[in-house]
Amino acid sequence: MIEPGATIGILGGGQLGRMIALAAATLGYRCHVFCPEPDSPAKLVTPYATTAAYDDRAALTRFAASVDVVTFEFENVPGDTAEILAGLKPVRPGPEALRIAQDRLKEKDFLRSIDVATAQYREVASAEVLRRAVRDIGPHGVLKTVRGGYDGKGQVTIRPDTDLAAAWRSMGAELGILESYVDFICEISVIVARGMNGHWATYVPVENHHAQHILDTTIAPARIAPEVAMRAEAIARHVADRLDLVGLLAVEMFVTATGEVLVNELAPRPHNSGHWTIDACATSQFEQLVRAICGLPLGSPERHSDAVMKNLIGRDVERWREALTEPGAKLHLYGKTTVAPGRKMGHVTRLLPRRS
Ligand code: AMP
């Protein structure tokens, strides 16, 4: 067990790292944040920080020497970085979970190999292969970069009248994945914490609404049938188990009109759709991560309230004062000084009486 007083290393300095550090501080841990940006949201809440590139071996070695366990707050950490650190200190979740989650093809192959349903998909390495893939899986799809895409970046919708050569060029990467278009009625996610002893804590499925491909609102719990919710939770636990994951796993899923649940994406880290747990649950996703990676017992994921979480994106943040006077609203700002379109600046969680 890594006891309170020890130091948790966090790769990545964004708002997720900031909220991990705040939860860790509540339990008496220190956090050391490693990221290339000097003035990042996570570095503003802890005095222990390294500003260096993710492939700076000497800096990574010094960082490892100063911490007791390493976790990460985004999955696009270079694979080698996680491997180097894993040779020096426990990295939780481990490099294998990262390797799968940062490559959409590996992710889908893995999900299929453990009998988890996904959209149909094909690897695409050229406009010609894209043409064949469209013939195979149908004319309505989504072409995505295999690596590095997030918040809808590197994604192109394919329709029967799409110019496939132009679509291939606009994706802008050497390797893509074509997925069949899922006509979903609802997008949900499930966050599960898994401890070193294989114990679970699963948060209720939540419903996610996007604007311009960026998460805009999360409604907790999701308005889905109880049996669909149970299946979604079981899928998330199954995936975490087969990854032998220690930490947090967020599983994004589509629910179709017939109640089918298809997994879209995995994130082995805290997730934007779990921010509501800070204010509405006995144990937040961030505290749960700290407990899991330090070998502490997991906390209860039970919610005392229902909640609606609204991201403050770009200039939305200028309305921060309104949230302060609204009963039941809780404001979270990430300390970012530069406002940019699409940039997540903070969020507001609105608590509601629990209905079920
Ligand atoms: P992703 O980056 O994979 O999370 O995709 C961003 C958003 O694009 C998702 O939240 C969905 O709203 C939409 N999307 C992604 N893949 C598909 C798909 N195969 N079918 C329909 N919509 C999709």
Side-chain angles (χ1 to χ4, degrees):
M1 183 189 290
I2 297 168
E3 296 193 3
T7 302
I8 298 169
I10 303 172
L11 286 174
Q15 60 269 15
L16 299 175
R18 177 183 177 97
M19 290 183 270
I20 296 169
L22 293 171
T26 305
L27 290 179
Y29 290 93
R30 297 166 185 224
C31 285
H32 184 146
V33 175
F34 187 116
C35 71
E37 302 81 18
D39 199 23
S40 68
K43 284 180 178 166
L44 300 176
V45 300
T46 176
Y48 312 104
T50 298
T51 300
Y54 289 117
D55 59 2
D56 181 337
R57 260 174 191 272
L60 288 170
T61 307
R62 280 196 302 276
F63 170 68
S66 72
V67 303
D68 299 286
V69 59
V70 176
T71 193
F72 42 85
E73 59 111 51
F74 76 122
E75 61 267 26
N76 290 322
V77 174
D80 288 352
T81 304
E83 293 289 351
I84 292 167
L85 291 169
L88 300 166
K89 283 287 155 74
V91 176
R92 296 176 184 150
E96 178 62 9
L98 259 184
R99 217 173 48 79
I100 290 174
Q102 61 190 201
D103 182 309
R104 289 184 195 272
L105 271 170
K106 285 201 177 79
E107 188 173 75
K108 290 234 162 33
D109 288 347
F110 167 73
L111 289 167
R112 288 280 164 119
S113 77
I114 61 166
D115 296 322
V116 170
T118 66
Q120 289 193 64
Y121 64 98
R122 291 288 183 279
E123 178 175 341
V124 177
S126 67
E128 185 43 43
V129 178
L130 175 60
R131 249 174 236 116
R132 279 205 298 275
V134 167
R135 273 201 299 275
D136 262 10
I137 67 173
H140 203 177
V142 184
L143 176 67
K144 304 178 179 178
T145 54
V146 166
R147 299 178 73 91
Y150 66 96
D151 286 347
K153 293 188 178 70
Q155 289 195 22
V156 189
T157 304
I158 306 287
R159 296 198 174 82
D161 59 354
T162 300
D163 173 345
L164 295 179
W168 170 251
R169 279 194 305 275
S170 71
M171 182 197 64
E174 277 169 21
L175 195 60
I177 176 173
L178 177 71
E179 297 177 9
S180 58
Y181 191 85
V182 179
D183 195 11
F184 55 81
I185 53 163
C186 183
E187 286 190 75
I188 62 169
S189 53
V190 175
I191 296 174
V192 59
R194 186 170 179 275
M196 283 159 68
N197 51 8
H199 287 179
W200 309 109
T202 312
Y203 292 98
V204 73
V206 298
E207 187 178 321
N208 297 321
H209 296 268
H210 297 81
Q212 273 109 44
H213 294 283
I214 302 173
L215 182 66
D216 180 73
T217 306
T218 292
I219 300 173
R223 295 165 294 183
I224 52 177
E227 64 271 16
V228 174
M230 272 168 55
R231 255 187 294 130
E233 289 184 24
I235 290 170
R237 285 194 288 262
H238 175 58
V239 176
D241 205 14
R242 298 303 292 270
L243 282 172
D244 200 17
L245 180 123
V246 174
L248 280 189
L249 179 71
V251 184
E252 295 178 28
M253 311 177 205
F254 300 126
V255 180
T256 67
T258 56
E260 213 184 348
V261 176
L262 302 174
V263 171
N264 176 37
E265 228 182 351
L266 306 176
R269 54 162 172 82
H271 194 258
N272 195 168
S273 70
H275 290 0
W276 68 281
T277 62
I278 301 174
D279 300 307
C281 293
T283 315
S284 75
Q285 62 165 346
F286 300 101
E287 178 175 338
Q288 212 73 271
L289 172 66
V290 171
R291 288 174 178 240
I293 63 175
C294 291
L296 305 182
L298 298 179
S300 164
E302 265 310 289
R303 68 187 191 285
H304 49 73
S305 301
D306 290 347
V308 177
M309 189 282 315
K310 171 91 175 72
N311 271 335
L312 299 176
I313 296 172
R315 298 190 64 175
D316 289 351
V317 72
E318 291 168 7
R319 300 208 308 266
W320 61 271
R321 277 185 192 81
E322 293 168 23
L324 292 179
T325 49
E326 187 186 322
K330 188 78 203 291
L331 175 69
H332 298 256
L333 296 175
Y334 305 149
K336 298 179 184 177
T337 44
T338 316
V339 181
R343 190 160 197 223
K344 291 174 180 168
M345 305 298 294
H347 70 269
V348 177
T349 300
R350 297 185 164 88
L351 296 177
L352 304 159
R354 184 171 162 163
R355 277 165 300 146
S356 57

